[in-house]
Each structure stands twice: as structure tokens, then as C-alpha cells.
Amino acid sequence: MQPYDIAIIGGGPGGSTTGALIKKYHPNLRVAIFEKEAFPREHVGESQLPPISSILHEMGCWDDVEAAGFPIKIGATYRWGQEDTLWDFEFLPIDQFKDEPRPAHYTGQRKQTAFQVERAVYDDILLRHAEKLGCEVFQQTGVKSVAKNGDQVTGLTLSDGRQIEAAYYVDASGNAAILRKAMGVDVTVPTALKNVAFWSYWENAEWAVEIGVGGTRVQVMSLGTGWLWFIPLSPTRTSIGFVCPAEHYKASGKSPEEIYLAAIASDKTICALTKNAIRETDVQGTKDWSFLADRSAGENWLMVGECAGFADPILAAGMTLTQTGAREAAYILPQVLAQPEERVWLFQHYSSTQRTRIRQHIRFADFWYTANGQFSDLQDYTAQIASDAGLKLSAKEAFRWLGTGGFTNDSPGQVGLGGLDLVSMKQITERFTDETLGWELNRYNRFKLNLKEAQETKAPVFKDGKITYLPAYVRGEKQLIRAGLFELILQVLQKAVAISDIHALLTQYFTANPGQGATPALGIYHALQTLETLVLEGWVVGSNDRRKSRLKLSTPREGSIIHTNRDERPAA
């Protein structure tokens, strides 16, 4: 048999996204996807973040997913932190969300929202789309064994006895981790979080809130022993799950069904929403342990998705990490097929980027758990997490600890972590610690670029099926890519050092380029967040001129994106 160019193990979102994007931009490449199950099939992990929407649009299957009628995820409502009150994190200010008919196109407000999906339906749409684009899809065809020579995969033996070869291989097999295990890649657990999750599906549960046509928020409710998720998947079907420490589950002496139903019964909000609902399936369970593979690439293979690492689902980032990584793999593999000399550094960049993202999400999840005063029965457990991490629960110390993982690595040219921009991260930190977190920019009025001990390098940019390169700096584990607002700030710092002059140049820029921000004021605000990040990570150093004034930036506790819930009635 003629060898494949790329063989993909696993037909879930990681495998289908990789295959679809490769075939979209490189239709002459021969791509195979081997999936051990028959689709459609149920799968947990239904809540998405907005970056997935742009990937679906690029793949060309946004309209198919939108036509399935999944609820529009506007954000999430939490009972989490030091107080018992509900609060919301929204992807866009709720008063800006317009009531519009569905199905809708990927435009306007839909670029800022996400989906809550039935994975049986969603995964089937994506796999069929990959097949329509030309991937050779083999369902009910698992991988029985992997042949290798050193760190190179030389072939696969399939469950039907066939043997296949490819130039490159992708492990998108989820927790089965076919290639990762075959190639002897070790994993580490950089956290004391070792949870278990139990879940089931319910018919006719009420939505906590309906926003426009098909819009809602997921519910994340802390209990003393863990937390519940409540994710509407269709007008009638809802995923409800319970997450708690594995040791707590073992010590309880309860069966999965008993501990699951007891958790729902103990929460007034979720209990009220399920009052007239019927549980349609048995309770399912899995260990839910965060981990990180020591690397995500080898001689002629890449890992995509959960096989490369897993971060606790509190941030709902699992599918986003999977499909974001899959998109980048889909750009890199055709490039190294055409230009083999590019393989080493592109594979190293891919592995480093995926590991950094996953590690930061694990770190952020640790903070969520240790700062959650709702875990009344788990204080010793959360104290141990904080102790292991060396995390002190003051706002300043917590934010410094989070920042050691880097705020510049989530997406080139943007500041963020776990779907949050820097201001939202400050708001979360203040909400969890009940302290005020200041701005570094308020301490100084002169700013200068600091590239001491930094090495010049390049970073790939993935757009329209092509890889272009931007200059970047690397210092330790931190990377600064000259893109987006980072590039703007670096250019401004070449012309000005005084904050008054910096502010004037930013005002001039956003006034002349109104498309770069919703308003000039908002553009300036995001640029100052970027400058704040560069100071926090040491790329910019501040000093003072006593004759000059300083900025007086603050972080509102009640903002337009993160605020106390206003539209859900607490259960009686």
C-alpha cells in the first residue's frame, strides 16, 4: 500500500480538526484518521471557549455546528470564592448581546461566544467534515501496536490486522495515549489535585437563565466537598457532573451514584433546576487528574489534545487546548513535509507551546481550588495544594505566582490566561482573596525595554494555511513575540519613556486606527494591560521622575465582564 503522508490516531475533535485543516489547505496530501469507536458516541467535555468558534469557521464547518442548535455559551455563573453569592464571567457584556434569529453566521457577537455541545453530535459533525474534505476515515479501527525505530514511528498495526505506514503520525487518541505510551514518554503531575468526576445526562432540566435565542451560561456550583457542573446541551438535554478529590470519594464509602445524587440534592440551585427532570443514563465516572507529558513531539510524530496533558475542567479549557493545538499541528506537518529542514525547530516550538499552555492552566486551577472558601470540608486538602505550590493566598503573592508561568504565551499578540484578559485575572484574584491588587504601572512614570540576557529568535504565525515568521525574544521559559499589542508597545517605547508621552502616542494611534479597538479609550486600556504584563514579566522596567505624575489605574470589583450575578434567582 502507498504510505500515507499523515496518519492520525483518533477521530475526536483533535484528530478531525487536524485532518480537516490539513486537507483544506493541502488537498493533495494523503491523510488517514483511525478511530476505534463508531460515531456518534457519547463523550464528556461539552463546554467550550470562544477560540474554538474561530477554528470551526476556519475549518468550514461553523454552519454545520450552528445548524445543530446547540446552546450559545455566553459565559458561566459561579458560586466560587470567599462568598456565597453567585457571580458571572461573561465573554461579552451581557447588555451588548443582541436577540437575533438562529442559525446565524460567524459574525458580530457570535465571534465572542462559544457553544455547549452534545459531543456525540458535535464530534460526528467534525469527523464527517474531515471526511468530506478528503481524509480517509476508518471507524471501528483501533491501533493494535506501534512499530518504532528509536524515536521514529515506522508503522501501525490496526485492529483489523492491516499494517500502514506514514511519513508523519499524530496521536489524538485522548487518554488512551497510543503513541505517547508506545514511545515511552513520561508524564508528570505538577499539582496535588487528584480529582474524580461523576456525571450523567438529564432530560427536561430547566435552564438557570435564557439569554436571547438559545443563549445561556453554564453553572459551576461549589459544595463543601467539591463542585457541580450544569451544562445545557440542547433545549431539553443537560449534562450534570460532580467533581471531588479522589481521597474524599474513597473515604465516603459511597457508590458513584450515591455520591453523585447526594451532591445534587445538597445544592438548592441545581436541585431546583432538576426538580422536574429525568435522569436518562447511568452515572459515569473517571479519574480527573491533571498531568503533563514531558514532551509533545518526537522524530516524526506529534501529540494533540488530552494525550499530551490535561488540566482540571474548572476553567473549561480542555476542548480549547485540544483544538488550538490541533490547528497548529495542521499547519506544521505540511510545512515539514515540504521543508524537512524546518522540522526540528517547529516541532520544538509546538511541544514547548503546548506544554506551557497546559502547565499554566494547571497552575491557574490550583489557585481556584486553594482560594475557594466554599470548600468547607476540604480545607486540609486545599491547604496542602497551597503548600505544595508554595502559594500564599494574598492577592499580591498569588498574582506573582500565576505570573511566573507567563501571561504572554496563550495566544500570540494577546495578554491572557484561561480565557481571561489581565484585568479579568486581577478581578478574579481580588474576588478570591478579598484584597485589592494594585497595578505596577501606578508605581512608575518612566518605562524602558529590558532585553538583558534575552535571545533573539523567531516564532511561527499560523494564518490562511501558511506559516509566516515574526521576530521574538526568549528569556528562560518566557517568550515575547513581536505581534499585536506587544509590537505596538515595543514601537511606542522606542519613541517615548515617560508615561504621559506613551499615553499620548497610544491615543494618537487608536484615534487614527479606530478598527484596532471598539473605541479609542478601550484600545488604550488594552494597550496599558499589555504594558502592565511586560512590566510584570520583566520585559520592561520602570523608574520614577519625581517631577512627573503617575497613572492611577484601578481594577473594579464589579465590571462588565466579571460581576455579581443579576439575573438568576437563588433557589428557595
Side-chain angles (χ1 to χ4, degrees):
M1 177 184 288
Q2 181 73 23
Y4 292 102
D5 292 299
I6 298 155
I8 301 171
I9 305 173
S16 56
T17 298
T18 304
L21 286 173
I22 291 173
K23 292 296 290 185
K24 174 183 177 178
Y25 295 122
H26 304 275
N28 294 328
L29 293 181
R30 193 175 182 207
V31 181
I33 300 176
F34 302 101
E35 169 54 50
K36 68 177 181 179
E37 297 187 48
F39 280 26
R41 54 89 177 97
E42 295 281 10
H43 202 286
V44 74
E46 302 100 346
S47 187
Q48 300 187 346
L49 296 175
I52 291 180
S53 296
S54 66
I55 296 172
L56 296 176
H57 176 67
E58 183 178 5
M59 290 169 64
C61 61
W62 161 274
D63 288 340
D64 291 340
V65 175
E66 168 69 3
F70 299 126
I72 303 169
K73 182 179 177 181
I74 311 299
T77 295
Y78 295 92
R79 184 172 64 242
W80 197 288
Q82 300 298 316
E83 301 176 359
D84 195 41
T85 54
L86 301 182
W87 58 276
D88 299 332
F89 163 52
E90 294 167 335
F91 300 138
L92 75 167
I94 196 63
D95 57 359
Q96 295 181 15
F97 187 79
K98 301 174 183 177
D99 192 0
E100 60 183 12
R102 297 185 70 187
H105 296 298
Y106 179 71
T107 186
Q109 65 186 13
R110 295 304 300 278
K111 290 186 175 183
Q112 296 175 263
T113 61
F115 290 106
Q116 296 160 202
V117 300
E118 282 191 85
R119 287 289 300 275
V121 178
Y122 178 78
D123 291 11
D124 192 51
I125 290 172
L126 267 58
L127 187 58
R128 288 180 182 274
H129 183 70
E131 188 171 33
K132 183 172 67 176
L133 290 175
C135 291
E136 298 178 42
V137 175
F138 301 90
Q139 297 191 48
Q140 294 182 290
T141 306
V143 172
K144 185 178 180 181
S145 63
V146 177
K148 62 181 181 177
N149 181 13
D151 196 42
Q152 184 177 36
V153 178
T154 58
L156 305 176
T157 300
L158 306 178
S159 57
D160 59 10
R162 285 184 296 148
Q163 294 183 332
I164 66 102
E165 295 179 357
Y168 287 93
Y169 300 82
V170 175
D171 188 351
S173 62
N175 58 18
I178 301 295
L179 283 187
R180 191 194 78 209
K181 293 177 180 177
M183 304 310 289
V185 178
D186 291 332
V187 301
T188 56
V189 181
T191 173
L193 278 176
K194 292 186 177 181
N195 288 338
V196 289
F198 304 106
W199 70 91
S200 188
Y201 298 94
W202 297 68
E203 279 290 329
N204 297 320
E206 294 184 33
W207 289 14
V209 61
E210 295 186 37
I211 305 167
V213 178
T216 189
R217 300 187 202 92
V218 303
Q219 306 289 301
V220 176
M221 298 292 157
S222 295
L223 309 175
T225 58
W227 60 277
L228 289 163
W229 78 65
F230 181 97
I231 307 173
L233 306 178
S234 76
T236 63
R237 196 167 193 242
T238 301
S239 170
I240 304 177
F242 173 58
V243 178
C244 68
E247 290 302 319
H248 171 78
Y249 162 61
K250 293 177 183 177
S252 73
K254 296 178 179 178
S255 69
E257 183 172 36
E258 289 171 338
I259 199 168
Y260 173 76
L261 293 178
I264 292 176
S266 70
D267 186 89
K268 292 182 179 180
T269 299
I270 306 302
C271 193
L273 295 175
T274 56
K275 181 179 179 181
N276 299 315
I278 298 174
R279 181 161 55 96
E280 65 177 58
T281 61
D282 294 335
V283 174
Q284 303 175 62
T286 184
K287 71 176 185 179
D288 198 19
W289 297 359
S290 298
F291 73 92
L292 182 62
D294 288 352
R295 57 190 174 118
S296 297
E299 185 73 20
N300 66 335
W301 51 270
L302 296 175
M303 293 191 288
V304 165
E306 189 176 327
C307 60
F310 179 79
D312 189 274
I314 184 59
L315 301 177
M319 290 185 68
T320 303
L321 290 169
T322 292
Q323 291 191 252
T324 299
R327 176 180 181 269
E328 295 174 0
Y331 275 73
I332 288 171
L333 290 169
Q335 182 81 355
V336 300
L337 276 166
Q339 301 181 41
E341 69 276 9
E342 294 273 85
R343 180 189 63 82
V344 173
W345 92 269
L346 279 175
F347 274 31
Q348 287 176 346
H349 174 87
Y350 176 84
S351 183
S352 175
T353 299
Q354 308 317 312
R355 282 174 47 79
T356 298
R357 287 174 179 158
I358 296 167
R359 186 170 55 244
Q360 264 293 70
H361 281 77
I362 292 173
R363 181 182 290 267
F364 204 13
D366 275 356
F367 175 58
W368 278 65
Y369 276 81
T370 56
N372 188 13
Q374 303 298 318
F375 287 153
S376 56
D377 296 344
L378 304 177
Q379 294 304 310
D380 291 342
Y381 171 74
T382 54
Q384 183 60 47
I385 298 174
S387 175
D388 289 352
L391 173 59
K392 298 179 181 178
L393 288 181
S394 69
K396 186 175 181 180
E397 289 294 325
F399 203 71
R400 181 181 293 116
W401 180 75
L402 289 170
T404 60
F407 295 141
T408 63
N409 295 309
D410 235 17
S411 180
Q414 300 179 23
V415 178
L417 173 61
L420 303 172
D421 65 10
L422 194 71
V423 168
S424 297
M425 291 178 63
K426 285 177 179 284
Q427 286 180 300
I428 292 290
T429 305
E430 291 185 352
R431 185 174 288 270
F432 285 179
T433 59
D434 200 26
E435 293 180 3
T436 299
L437 185 65
W439 284 66
E440 290 296 302
L441 295 188
N442 292 342
R443 299 178 57 192
Y444 311 106
N445 54 28
R446 294 172 62 84
F447 298 92
K448 182 179 180 180
L449 187 64
N450 173 32
L451 297 179
K452 185 178 180 181
E453 298 182 357
Q455 295 180 330
E456 291 188 52
T457 184
K458 61 180 180 178
V461 177
F462 310 104
K463 186 177 181 181
D464 299 329
K466 298 179 180 179
I467 298 179
T468 56
Y469 303 98
L470 288 175
Y473 302 106
V474 173
R475 183 164 52 208
E477 295 186 357
K478 303 288 180 64
Q479 177 178 248
L480 174 59
I481 301 175
R482 300 196 61 157
L485 289 174
F486 290 108
E487 174 63 12
L488 173 62
I489 292 297
L490 294 187
Q491 291 184 9
V492 167
L493 290 176
Q494 291 177 2
K495 301 175 182 178
V497 294
I499 191 60
S500 57
D501 295 332
I502 292 171
H503 195 279
L505 287 173
L506 292 174
T507 301
Q508 179 181 341
Y509 174 82
F510 285 106
T511 301
N513 299 277
Q516 300 300 311
T519 64
L522 188 58
I524 294 168
Y525 191 52
H526 285 302
L528 291 176
Q529 287 189 55
T530 304
L531 179 57
E532 171 83 353
T533 301
L534 292 173
V535 174
L536 288 167
E537 295 197 5
W539 296 107
V540 172
V541 293
S543 61
N544 277 308
D545 182 341
R546 295 181 180 180
R547 299 168 296 177
K548 304 293 184 179
S549 61
R550 306 179 194 172
L551 293 176
K552 295 181 180 180
L553 299 172
S554 62
T555 306
R557 181 176 177 84
E558 295 291 322
S560 60
I561 299 298
I562 294 178
H563 53 79
T564 301
N565 175 265
R566 298 185 289 266
D567 57 13
E568 297 183 19
R569 291 179 299 174

PDB file of all heavy atoms in Angstrom, residues 1 34 138 140-145 155-165:
ATOM      1  N   MET A   1       0.846  -1.198   0.000  1.00  0.00           N
ATOM      2  CA  MET A   1       0.000   0.000   0.000  1.00  0.00           C
ATOM      3  C   MET A   1       0.879   1.244   0.000  1.00  0.00           C
ATOM      4  O   MET A   1       1.900   1.290   0.696  1.00  0.00           O
ATOM      5  CB  MET A   1      -0.916   0.012   1.232  1.00  0.00           C
ATOM      6  CG  MET A   1      -1.781   1.268   1.347  1.00  0.00           C
ATOM      7  SD  MET A   1      -2.772   1.330   2.864  1.00  0.00           S
ATOM      8  CE  MET A   1      -3.984   0.076   2.478  1.00  0.00           C
ATOM      9  N   PHE A  34      -7.801   7.085  11.999  1.00  0.00           N
ATOM     10  CA  PHE A  34      -8.203   5.775  12.509  1.00  0.00           C
ATOM     11  C   PHE A  34      -8.888   5.956  13.863  1.00  0.00           C
ATOM     12  O   PHE A  34      -8.268   6.413  14.827  1.00  0.00           O
ATOM     13  CB  PHE A  34      -6.986   4.859  12.629  1.00  0.00           C
ATOM     14  CG  PHE A  34      -6.261   4.669  11.330  1.00  0.00           C
ATOM     15  CD1 PHE A  34      -5.091   5.361  11.053  1.00  0.00           C
ATOM     16  CD2 PHE A  34      -6.770   3.808  10.367  1.00  0.00           C
ATOM     17  CE1 PHE A  34      -4.426   5.203   9.849  1.00  0.00           C
ATOM     18  CE2 PHE A  34      -6.104   3.633   9.155  1.00  0.00           C
ATOM     19  CZ  PHE A  34      -4.944   4.339   8.887  1.00  0.00           C
ATOM     20  N   PHE A 138     -11.465   5.800   8.975  1.00  0.00           N
ATOM     21  CA  PHE A 138     -11.734   4.399   9.271  1.00  0.00           C
ATOM     22  C   PHE A 138     -12.260   4.305  10.699  1.00  0.00           C
ATOM     23  O   PHE A 138     -11.499   4.427  11.661  1.00  0.00           O
ATOM     24  CB  PHE A 138     -10.456   3.568   9.124  1.00  0.00           C
ATOM     25  CG  PHE A 138      -9.847   3.627   7.758  1.00  0.00           C
ATOM     26  CD1 PHE A 138      -8.909   4.606   7.441  1.00  0.00           C
ATOM     27  CD2 PHE A 138     -10.216   2.727   6.768  1.00  0.00           C
ATOM     28  CE1 PHE A 138      -8.339   4.671   6.180  1.00  0.00           C
ATOM     29  CE2 PHE A 138      -9.651   2.780   5.495  1.00  0.00           C
ATOM     30  CZ  PHE A 138      -8.719   3.761   5.195  1.00  0.00           C
ATOM     31  N   GLN A 140     -14.293   2.270  13.865  1.00  0.00           N
ATOM     32  CA  GLN A 140     -14.177   0.926  14.439  1.00  0.00           C
ATOM     33  C   GLN A 140     -12.852   0.270  14.007  1.00  0.00           C
ATOM     34  O   GLN A 140     -12.782  -0.929  13.767  1.00  0.00           O
ATOM     35  CB  GLN A 140     -15.368   0.059  14.023  1.00  0.00           C
ATOM     36  CG  GLN A 140     -16.683   0.555  14.611  1.00  0.00           C
ATOM     37  CD  GLN A 140     -17.856  -0.328  14.248  1.00  0.00           C
ATOM     38  OE1 GLN A 140     -18.275  -0.359  13.100  1.00  0.00           O
ATOM     39  NE2 GLN A 140     -18.380  -1.041  15.233  1.00  0.00           N
ATOM     40  N   THR A 141     -11.825   1.106  13.949  1.00  0.00           N
ATOM     41  CA  THR A 141     -10.495   0.647  13.550  1.00  0.00           C
ATOM     42  C   THR A 141      -9.477   1.230  14.520  1.00  0.00           C
ATOM     43  O   THR A 141      -9.025   2.369  14.351  1.00  0.00           O
ATOM     44  CB  THR A 141     -10.171   1.079  12.108  1.00  0.00           C
ATOM     45  OG1 THR A 141     -11.206   0.645  11.236  1.00  0.00           O
ATOM     46  CG2 THR A 141      -8.845   0.486  11.655  1.00  0.00           C
ATOM     47  N   GLY A 142      -9.152   0.468  15.531  1.00  0.00           N
ATOM     48  CA  GLY A 142      -8.182   0.924  16.505  1.00  0.00           C
ATOM     49  C   GLY A 142      -6.762   0.597  16.084  1.00  0.00           C
ATOM     50  O   GLY A 142      -6.525  -0.068  15.064  1.00  0.00           O
ATOM     51  N   VAL A 143      -5.818   1.088  16.866  1.00  0.00           N
ATOM     52  CA  VAL A 143      -4.406   0.778  16.630  1.00  0.00           C
ATOM     53  C   VAL A 143      -3.986  -0.280  17.638  1.00  0.00           C
ATOM     54  O   VAL A 143      -4.023  -0.049  18.851  1.00  0.00           O
ATOM     55  CB  VAL A 143      -3.534   2.040  16.760  1.00  0.00           C
ATOM     56  CG1 VAL A 143      -2.057   1.672  16.700  1.00  0.00           C
ATOM     57  CG2 VAL A 143      -3.888   3.035  15.657  1.00  0.00           C
ATOM     58  N   LYS A 144      -3.594  -1.425  17.114  1.00  0.00           N
ATOM     59  CA  LYS A 144      -3.236  -2.555  17.976  1.00  0.00           C
ATOM     60  C   LYS A 144      -1.816  -2.436  18.495  1.00  0.00           C
ATOM     61  O   LYS A 144      -1.532  -2.759  19.651  1.00  0.00           O
ATOM     62  CB  LYS A 144      -3.422  -3.859  17.196  1.00  0.00           C
ATOM     63  CG  LYS A 144      -3.193  -5.114  18.014  1.00  0.00           C
ATOM     64  CD  LYS A 144      -3.460  -6.359  17.167  1.00  0.00           C
ATOM     65  CE  LYS A 144      -3.246  -7.637  17.961  1.00  0.00           C
ATOM     66  NZ  LYS A 144      -3.488  -8.846  17.112  1.00  0.00           N
ATOM     67  N   SER A 145      -0.888  -1.988  17.641  1.00  0.00           N
ATOM     68  CA  SER A 145       0.505  -1.858  18.067  1.00  0.00           C
ATOM     69  C   SER A 145       1.216  -0.818  17.216  1.00  0.00           C
ATOM     70  O   SER A 145       0.768  -0.470  16.121  1.00  0.00           O
ATOM     71  CB  SER A 145       1.245  -3.197  17.970  1.00  0.00           C
ATOM     72  OG  SER A 145       1.301  -3.636  16.627  1.00  0.00           O
ATOM     73  N   GLY A 155       5.524   2.412  11.696  1.00  0.00           N
ATOM     74  CA  GLY A 155       4.276   1.849  11.181  1.00  0.00           C
ATOM     75  C   GLY A 155       3.288   1.546  12.287  1.00  0.00           C
ATOM     76  O   GLY A 155       3.628   1.559  13.479  1.00  0.00           O
ATOM     77  N   LEU A 156       2.055   1.275  11.889  1.00  0.00           N
ATOM     78  CA  LEU A 156       0.987   0.933  12.817  1.00  0.00           C
ATOM     79  C   LEU A 156       0.350  -0.373  12.378  1.00  0.00           C
ATOM     80  O   LEU A 156       0.135  -0.601  11.180  1.00  0.00           O
ATOM     81  CB  LEU A 156      -0.100   2.019  12.843  1.00  0.00           C
ATOM     82  CG  LEU A 156       0.327   3.452  13.151  1.00  0.00           C
ATOM     83  CD1 LEU A 156      -0.875   4.382  13.018  1.00  0.00           C
ATOM     84  CD2 LEU A 156       0.942   3.554  14.549  1.00  0.00           C
ATOM     85  N   THR A 157       0.040  -1.216  13.342  1.00  0.00           N
ATOM     86  CA  THR A 157      -0.782  -2.394  13.076  1.00  0.00           C
ATOM     87  C   THR A 157      -2.177  -2.109  13.610  1.00  0.00           C
ATOM     88  O   THR A 157      -2.348  -1.772  14.789  1.00  0.00           O
ATOM     89  CB  THR A 157      -0.207  -3.643  13.759  1.00  0.00           C
ATOM     90  OG1 THR A 157       1.110  -3.896  13.258  1.00  0.00           O
ATOM     91  CG2 THR A 157      -1.084  -4.859  13.499  1.00  0.00           C
ATOM     92  N   LEU A 158      -3.163  -2.218  12.737  1.00  0.00           N
ATOM     93  CA  LEU A 158      -4.532  -1.869  13.080  1.00  0.00           C
ATOM     94  C   LEU A 158      -5.275  -3.067  13.659  1.00  0.00           C
ATOM     95  O   LEU A 158      -4.836  -4.216  13.543  1.00  0.00           O
ATOM     96  CB  LEU A 158      -5.256  -1.338  11.846  1.00  0.00           C
ATOM     97  CG  LEU A 158      -4.561  -0.166  11.121  1.00  0.00           C
ATOM     98  CD1 LEU A 158      -5.355   0.242   9.894  1.00  0.00           C
ATOM     99  CD2 LEU A 158      -4.374   1.013  12.065  1.00  0.00           C
ATOM    100  N   SER A 159      -6.411  -2.788  14.258  1.00  0.00           N
ATOM    101  CA  SER A 159      -7.190  -3.846  14.907  1.00  0.00           C
ATOM    102  C   SER A 159      -7.728  -4.863  13.912  1.00  0.00           C
ATOM    103  O   SER A 159      -8.050  -5.991  14.290  1.00  0.00           O
ATOM    104  CB  SER A 159      -8.350  -3.225  15.695  1.00  0.00           C
ATOM    105  OG  SER A 159      -9.170  -2.422  14.850  1.00  0.00           O
ATOM    106  N   ASP A 160      -7.824  -4.483  12.625  1.00  0.00           N
ATOM    107  CA  ASP A 160      -8.285  -5.433  11.612  1.00  0.00           C
ATOM    108  C   ASP A 160      -7.139  -6.203  10.967  1.00  0.00           C
ATOM    109  O   ASP A 160      -7.334  -6.932   9.990  1.00  0.00           O
ATOM    110  CB  ASP A 160      -9.103  -4.703  10.531  1.00  0.00           C
ATOM    111  CG  ASP A 160      -8.317  -3.607   9.808  1.00  0.00           C
ATOM    112  OD1 ASP A 160      -7.088  -3.531   9.991  1.00  0.00           O
ATOM    113  OD2 ASP A 160      -8.940  -2.821   9.073  1.00  0.00           O
ATOM    114  N   GLY A 161      -5.916  -6.007  11.512  1.00  0.00           N
ATOM    115  CA  GLY A 161      -4.766  -6.748  11.023  1.00  0.00           C
ATOM    116  C   GLY A 161      -3.939  -6.027   9.981  1.00  0.00           C
ATOM    117  O   GLY A 161      -2.811  -6.445   9.677  1.00  0.00           O
ATOM    118  N   ARG A 162      -4.462  -4.961   9.410  1.00  0.00           N
ATOM    119  CA  ARG A 162      -3.694  -4.235   8.397  1.00  0.00           C
ATOM    120  C   ARG A 162      -2.501  -3.525   9.032  1.00  0.00           C
ATOM    121  O   ARG A 162      -2.551  -3.126  10.190  1.00  0.00           O
ATOM    122  CB  ARG A 162      -4.577  -3.191   7.706  1.00  0.00           C
ATOM    123  CG  ARG A 162      -5.561  -3.763   6.710  1.00  0.00           C
ATOM    124  CD  ARG A 162      -6.314  -2.627   6.011  1.00  0.00           C
ATOM    125  NE  ARG A 162      -7.125  -1.876   6.961  1.00  0.00           N
ATOM    126  CZ  ARG A 162      -7.389  -0.575   6.845  1.00  0.00           C
ATOM    127  NH1 ARG A 162      -6.852   0.123   5.857  1.00  0.00           N
ATOM    128  NH2 ARG A 162      -8.159   0.027   7.734  1.00  0.00           N
ATOM    129  N   GLN A 163      -1.480  -3.351   8.239  1.00  0.00           N
ATOM    130  CA  GLN A 163      -0.310  -2.574   8.648  1.00  0.00           C
ATOM    131  C   GLN A 163      -0.190  -1.374   7.722  1.00  0.00           C
ATOM    132  O   GLN A 163      -0.270  -1.517   6.490  1.00  0.00           O
ATOM    133  CB  GLN A 163       0.962  -3.431   8.580  1.00  0.00           C
ATOM    134  CG  GLN A 163       0.966  -4.575   9.583  1.00  0.00           C
ATOM    135  CD  GLN A 163       2.253  -5.367   9.565  1.00  0.00           C
ATOM    136  OE1 GLN A 163       2.934  -5.446   8.553  1.00  0.00           O
ATOM    137  NE2 GLN A 163       2.602  -5.955  10.700  1.00  0.00           N
ATOM    138  N   ILE A 164      -0.006  -0.205   8.310  1.00  0.00           N
ATOM    139  CA  ILE A 164       0.080   1.005   7.496  1.00  0.00           C
ATOM    140  C   ILE A 164       1.333   1.798   7.884  1.00  0.00           C
ATOM    141  O   ILE A 164       1.848   1.673   9.003  1.00  0.00           O
ATOM    142  CB  ILE A 164      -1.192   1.881   7.617  1.00  0.00           C
ATOM    143  CG1 ILE A 164      -1.335   2.450   9.035  1.00  0.00           C
ATOM    144  CG2 ILE A 164      -2.433   1.076   7.252  1.00  0.00           C
ATOM    145  CD1 ILE A 164      -0.933   3.876   9.169  1.00  0.00           C
ATOM    146  N   GLU A 165       1.780   2.590   6.941  1.00  0.00           N
ATOM    147  CA  GLU A 165       2.928   3.447   7.170  1.00  0.00           C
ATOM    148  C   GLU A 165       2.569   4.873   6.774  1.00  0.00           C
ATOM    149  O   GLU A 165       1.669   5.097   5.956  1.00  0.00           O
ATOM    150  CB  GLU A 165       4.134   2.973   6.343  1.00  0.00           C
ATOM    151  CG  GLU A 165       4.662   1.609   6.738  1.00  0.00           C
ATOM    152  CD  GLU A 165       5.843   1.179   5.886  1.00  0.00           C
ATOM    153  OE1 GLU A 165       6.191   1.936   4.947  1.00  0.00           O
ATOM    154  OE2 GLU A 165       6.407   0.113   6.147  1.00  0.00           O
TER     155      GLU A 165
END
